[in-house]
């Protein structure tokens, strides 16, 4: 051993100081070399006589020649004293090199009998053997393939010719002392390879046995005399061809012979090694190197022997990576049905999910530069990942594997799973994802943050509605939620509420992944919500959060069975629509197929703790029988173990007979594999699983308690049976929700299939009866109504003969239909209402009138609202209601639906039907007596009368009279139809609605009435001040309902809220929801439910297009339309139809856009188009904006052409703006000052122009009109540049750039000079 000799380091007195003088690598090596020489001299003086040969060797190795190295190696005494010092080693460890035989003896002395010490020794030995193999072989290319062949002569592969190097970096590695390369012609000979393997086996035997026991040669038979040579002293060239040919023939025979993992005899070498404490995998490794336990390793190699050095390296690598499994056989649960926790063979698929996640957040992995620049790039497309595959192929497991990575990156992950059998409460499956996530967050740091978000980002009424779907939300509130009974929520509004809830969960803007599993079984409402979670616009936030809100980043992930989704499937249709929206969505399709042979072999190898080469043939059989489908594989191997065909030995691990497995029968149906397992269960456990399978893939413990006595005294103990199934891994139980879940839906299907058809109806009736009886007794029938109705509707009608039972089932469906309609889930509502009617007999109108009427009304409402509703059935149900109605109250809802149906084909008939219904409601409106002049005077009278009573609105009570509320609904529809006809009668109807509100109180339609009346005052009477006051009254009324309005700023203050408002208009299908504070004209365009989209399309599609262009964003389709509009087509269509109602809005949008982009010719063209259609008698608010930009363009043309006509037009606009300013300084002062500045500039009044420019900028800024401030700054910049005032011009352009950026018009801001 080296001894520390500090005096050697300071012999010169300044060795420590000298070390600091060397800075380059070469000088450092020289300096360290001299220091080590001193250590060696000092060491030589202190060693005894037996150790001196080692010192001589160390000195000899200072020479760089190989001859000197080997001559020193052969010096007397070196055989037992090989311990050279490292010349330029980085560390002074106790040794750096040692002959293998010495290393073994040293370890033998230092290794105790302790198990952990011996385990470490074997692990170190494996690493040494691995490094030795790497020194023995080289890679060559043969026939286009890379092969590993022997690079050293087998004769030198002996323990005497191997030394072990130790370094801090590489640990212990093996090297040859004497290296003799092979002749090139012999590199790929089989004889050479097998001789080298046998030699390696002998070295491995000695290493693992620690030099104890008989040598390997003691166990081997003598080599046949006709071959020549003994042990390894073979003439390679002499026998290579003979051995190679015979070995090749034997390998061909082995390939055809059945293979097993069990050695036919317990060989002597194996026994000796096992008795010495060597783990069986290492015994097997040595035997497979030698060729067989008692053979010569050449001609008579077994079928389990190594065939290549690649296999040897693979074995050793597995031992190094997982020593507990592949060396010590000490892993727990060596075979797990789920193949442990490691993901195999899905790396590329998982990467596709993570790439989609990066696109969602606008970042890419390991690319900091891109992440920094991503903020400047256009918005990313909305990401949807769809994972498809066969049942049991591992779709869910793949996504769950990605979940771990996403959560590590800070993502929020929500998931839900749909069911083949049970259709639960509408949207309940989707809502369960939120509920489970909120349950998990209870008690964590997230809980107070989510509670705060609920208060600040959502309105109390909205939260109350959501609590009916997501009960856990109540735990995050300070008190009980408010009442929601009677509140009608449209499908679009419900989508928006769930999207807002996602935003609430996203603490600090965390990205969210929402996973919906088994979408092939999802209902239409759930699929619509799933898509809407991604496409819904940002929530309209309460208080002042609108400006500071950070947009949520949401990625949707769905999985489905591709063999169940055909071209006409609802999901297939949805996917086609999503993929067609190339500008809005990016759908990533991931097809999960069966495992490849290589991947499956890796799984089987790791699961059985056997080398890859040993499991390959078994894997080939498994792959052939299962197509590599995970669930098939698990169950096949499970059955093999149950039948003891695949069995486990404590010493040897797993063993099997390949011949038996090859002939083992397996069904193509995965469910049949589980049927085999289920049939082995005790009868009560099987019955419990069958009962659970009737409820689907999961069942609440509460539901189990209700059906526990389903069969009276003959009932089985369901909970006891489930506990047995739980122990076998057939089901799982969640800790937070007390829900039993099948481990896989295929298990549920197998249990369900074991119930015969005849038995199934009887069992369904018993379970339904017990569930309804016990839940009603516990006053919880409403909570489980959909579970009960699902059971009821699966009972065949002809089986239920008891009239009372049939009526009970009809009542259950009636309740479920109403609840589904309230969600709303129109498809389910139709299903429940029609199922309820099917249970009633032919005399149902007479015997159960109210029940039958309710079912018909639900069916009518749902059929009308359902996008693909049966129109013939709708007509039939409407006619039945009209014939059988006893009162107007019974008939009203259906009559209102019928009016909407009429409006889609004939506005005249719809208007006539409205008036007829208003007469029946005792609210007739006789418009025949009103001429144009009478209409105008009536509106003036109403304005004056109502203005005196406007303050009463803040003190009004809700409208109590049902007839009056119904009349308000009909009048709202009537206003829409008159607007579509461009008739001023709409204003008269709105005044009647205001009058009704003043007399009887307010209702939700009162908001629309006041807003419409405000628009009438401005459009028809031209009273902007009074109209503005009524518009703000409408905003005030909005807050009494569920609509959140921020009336402090105009909507045009920034583009983002306005753009968000456009999206909201489409999401809700109503302009009213778009931008509540966008002044009078926006509120004037409220559209009736289910008939709103065309008007929204004509107004907001052009605005959405222009806003995205100004922001520099790509064009996106607006939901739920699904495509990008060509705004010029919309404009031409409105022009051709003389549709003034929509054309003025479109022209206003496009003329402002054209002016900002500097296209003055287009501005003038659009202005002329407008003048061609509009007269001053028909005042339109938008004409002021059109006139304003046309006047600015006229000033520019006047300066360019010097034509008097342009100057006159500009002067007319100035006079008009001055007049408008007298009505509303807030809206028009900045416009008047800017057009005045441009007129002064045109006339050469430079000082006056400069003063007006600056005044206009200040006015726009004070009145929060950011975009018009930007326009004023830009025009002022042009003005001062023409005057040669560069400093002032620079300041103005800078102000324009800042204002455009604040407004959100990034694209426009970049076009400015000096921007």
């Amino acid at each position: 051993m080296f001894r520390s000799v500090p005096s050697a380091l300071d012999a010169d007195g300044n060795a420590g100081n000298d070390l600091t003088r060397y800075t380059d690598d070469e000088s450092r090596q020289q300096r360290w070399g001299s220091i080590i020489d001193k250590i060696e001299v000092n060491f030589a003086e202190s060693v005894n006589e037996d150790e001196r040969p080692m010192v001589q060797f160390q000195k000899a190795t200072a020479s760089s020649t190989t001859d000197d190295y080997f001559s020193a190696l052969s010096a007397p005494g070196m055989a037992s004293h090989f311990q050279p010092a490292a010349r330029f080693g980085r560390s002074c460890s106790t040794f750096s090199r040692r002959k293998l035989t010495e290393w073994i003896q040293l370890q033998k002395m230092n290794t105790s009998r302790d198990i952990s010490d011996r385990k470490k020794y074997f692990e170190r030995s494996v690493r040494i053997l691995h490094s030795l193999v790497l020194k023995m072989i080289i890679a060559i290319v043969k026939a286009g393939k890379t092969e590993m062949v022997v690079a050293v002569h087998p004769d030198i592969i002996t323990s005497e010719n191997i030394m072990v190097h130790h370094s801090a970096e590489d640990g212990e590695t093996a090297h040859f002392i004497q290296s003799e390369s092979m002749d090139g012609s012999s590199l790929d000979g089989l004889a050479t390879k097998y001789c080298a393997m046998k030699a390696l086996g002998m070295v491995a035997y000695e290493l693992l046995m620690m030099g104890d026991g008989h040598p390997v040669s003691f166990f081997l038979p003598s080599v046949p005399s006709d071959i020549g040579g003994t042990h390894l002293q073979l003439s390679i060239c002499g026998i290579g061809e003979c051995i190679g040919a015979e070995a090749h023939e034997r390998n061909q025979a082995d390939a055809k012979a059945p293979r097993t993992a069990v050695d036919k005899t317990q060989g002597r070498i194996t026994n000796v090694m096992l008795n010495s404490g060597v783990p069986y995998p290492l015994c097997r490794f040595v035997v497979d190197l030698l060729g067989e336990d008692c053979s010569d390793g050449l001609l008579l190699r077994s079928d389990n022997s190594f065939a290549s050095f690649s296999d040897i390296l693979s074995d050793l690598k597995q031992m190094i990576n997982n020593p507990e499994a592949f060396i010590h056989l000490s892993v727990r649960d060596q075979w797990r049905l789920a193949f442990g926790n490691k993901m195999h063979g899905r790396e590329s698929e998982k990467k596709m999910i993570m790439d989609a996640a990066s696109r969602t957040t606008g970042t890419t992995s390991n690319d900091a530069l891109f992440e920094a620049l991503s903020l400047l790039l256009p918005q990313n497309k909305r990401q949807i990942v769809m994972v498809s595959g066969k049942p049991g192929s591992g779709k869910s497991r793949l996504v769950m594997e990605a979940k771990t990575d996403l959560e590590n990156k800070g993502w929020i992950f929500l998931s839900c799973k749909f069911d083949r059998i049970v259709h639960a409460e509408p949207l309940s499956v989707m809502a369960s994802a939120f509920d489970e996530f909120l349950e998990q967050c209870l008690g964590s740091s997230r809980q107070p943050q989510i509670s705060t978000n609920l208060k600040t980002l959502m309105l109390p009424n909205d939260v109350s509605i959501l609590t009916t779907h997501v009960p856990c939300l109540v735990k995050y509130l300070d008190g009980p939620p408010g009442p929601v009974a009677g509140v009608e929520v449209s499908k679009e509004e419900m989508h928006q509420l769930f999207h807002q809830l996602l935003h609430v969960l996203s603490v600090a803007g965390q990205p969210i992944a929402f996973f919906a599993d088994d979408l092939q079984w999802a209902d239409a409402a759930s699929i619509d919500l799933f898509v809407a979670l991604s496409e819904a616009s940002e929530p309209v936030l309460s208080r002042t959060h609108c400006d500071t809100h950070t947009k949520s980043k949401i990625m949707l992930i769905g999985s489905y069975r591709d063999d169940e989704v055909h071209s006409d499937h609802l999901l297939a249709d949805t996917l086609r629509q999503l993929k067609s929206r190339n500008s809005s969505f990016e759908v990533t399709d991931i097809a999960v197929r069966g495992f490849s042979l290589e991947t499956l072999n890796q799984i089987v190898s790791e699961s059985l703790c056997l080398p890859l080469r040993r499991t390959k043939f078994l894997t080939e059989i498994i792959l052939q029988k299962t197509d590599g489908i995970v669930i098939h594989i698990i169950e096949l191997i499970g059955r093999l173990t149950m039948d003891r065909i695949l069995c486990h030995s404590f010493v040897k691990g797993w063993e099997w007979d390949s011949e038996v497995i090859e002939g083992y029968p397996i069904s193509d149906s995965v469910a049949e594999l589980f049927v085999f397992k289920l049939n082995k269960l005790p009868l009560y456990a099987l019955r419990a699983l069958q009962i659970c399978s009737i409820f689907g893939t999961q069942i609440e413990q509460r539901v189990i308690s209700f059906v526990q006595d389903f069969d009276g005294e003959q009932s089985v103990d369901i909970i006891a049976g489930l506990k047995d199934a739980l122990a076998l891994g057939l089901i799982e139980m969640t800790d937070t929700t007390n829900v039993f879940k099948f481990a896989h839906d295929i298990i549920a299907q197998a249990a369900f299939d074991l119930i015969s058809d005849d038995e199934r109806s009887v069992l369904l009736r018993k379970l339904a009866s017990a569930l309804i009886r016990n839940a009603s007794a516990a006053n919880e029938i409403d909570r489980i109504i959909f579970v009960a109705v699902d059971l009821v509707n699966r009972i065949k009608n002809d089986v239920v003969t008891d009239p009372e039972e049939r009526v009970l089932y009809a009542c259950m469906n009636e309740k479920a239909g109403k609840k589904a309609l309230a969600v709303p889930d129109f498809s389910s509502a139709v299903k429940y209402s029609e199922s309820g009617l099917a249970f009633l007999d032919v005399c149902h109108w007479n015997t159960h009138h109210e029940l039958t009427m309710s079912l018909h009304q639900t069916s009518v409402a749902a059929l009308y609202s359902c996008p693909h509703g049966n129109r013939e059935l709708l007509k039939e149900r409407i006619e039945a209601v009209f014939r059988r109605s006893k009162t107007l109250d019974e008939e009203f809802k259906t009559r209102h639906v019928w009016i909407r149906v009429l409006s889609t084909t004939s506005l005249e008939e719809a208007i006539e039907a409205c008036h007829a219904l208003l007469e029946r409601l005792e609210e007739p409106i006789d418009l025949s007596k009103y001429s144009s002049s009478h209409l105008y005077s009536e509106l003036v009278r109403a304005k004056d009368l109502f203005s005196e009573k406007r303050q009463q609105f803040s003190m009004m009570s809700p409208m109590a009279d049902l007839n009056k509320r119904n009349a308000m609904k009909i009048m709202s529809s009537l206003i829409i139809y008159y607007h579509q006809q461009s008739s001023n009668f709409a204003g008269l109807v709105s005044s009647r609605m205001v009058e009704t509100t003043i007399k009887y109180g307010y209702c939700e339609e009162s908001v629309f009435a006041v807003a419409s009346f405000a628009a009438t005052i401005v459009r028809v009477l031209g009273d902007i001040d009074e109209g503005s006051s009524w518009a703000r009254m409408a905003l005030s009324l909005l807050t009494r309902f569920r609509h959140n309005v921020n009336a402090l700023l105009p909507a045009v203050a920034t583009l983002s809220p306005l753009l968000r408002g456009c999206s909201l208009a489409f999401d809700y299908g109503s302009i009213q929801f778009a931008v509540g504070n966008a002044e009078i004209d926006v509120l004037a365009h409220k559209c009736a439910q289910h008939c709103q989209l065309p008007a929204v399309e004509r107004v907001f599609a052009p605005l959405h297009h222009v806003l995205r262009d100004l922001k520099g964003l790509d064009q996106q389709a607006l939901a739920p339309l699904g495509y990008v509009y060509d705004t010029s087509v919309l404009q031409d269509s409105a022009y051709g139809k003389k549709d003034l109602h929509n054309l003025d809005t479109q022209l206003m949008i496009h003329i402002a856009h054209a002016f900002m982009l500097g296209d003055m010719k287009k501005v003038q063209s659009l202005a002329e188009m407008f003048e061609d259609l509009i007269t001053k008698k028909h005042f339109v608010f938008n004409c002021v904006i059109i006139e304003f930009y046309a006047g600015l363009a006229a000033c520019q043309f006047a300066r360019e052409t010097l034509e008097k006509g342009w100057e006159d037009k500009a002067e007319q606009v100035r006079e008009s703006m001055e007049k408008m300013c007298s009505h509303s300084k807030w809206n028009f002062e900045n416009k008047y000052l800017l057009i005045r500045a441009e007129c002064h500039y045109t006339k050469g009044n430079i000082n006056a122009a400069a003063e007006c420019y600056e005044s206009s900028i200040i006015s726009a800024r004070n009145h929060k009109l950011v975009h018009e401030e930007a326009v004023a700054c830009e025009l002022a910049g042009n003005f001062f540049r023409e005057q040669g005032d560069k400093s002032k011009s620079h300041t103005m352009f800078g102000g324009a750039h800042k204002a455009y950026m604040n407004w959100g018009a990034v694209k426009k801001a970049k076009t400015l000079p000096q921007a």
Side-chain angles (χ1 to χ4, degrees), residues 501-541:
L501 184 55
L502 275 183
H503 189 77
V504 166
L505 301 182
S506 178
V507 177
Q510 286 178 285
I512 300 174
F514 192 102
F515 173 44
D517 200 3
D518 283 329
L519 277 171
Q520 75 277 356
W521 296 326
D523 56 282
S526 296
I527 290 179
D528 288 345
L529 176 57
F530 176 70
V531 176
L533 289 179
S534 172
E535 69 183 5
S537 56
E538 294 307 305
V540 181
L541 307 175

Side-chain angles (χ1 to χ4, degrees), residues 111-128:
T111 302
S112 68
R113 291 291 179 181
D114 184 71
I115 295 177
S116 61
D117 282 352
R118 290 185 62 81
K119 288 174 70 173
K120 290 178 182 178
Y121 174 79
F122 291 131
E123 292 170 18
R124 294 167 67 190
S125 299
V126 167
R127 285 193 289 271
I128 289 173

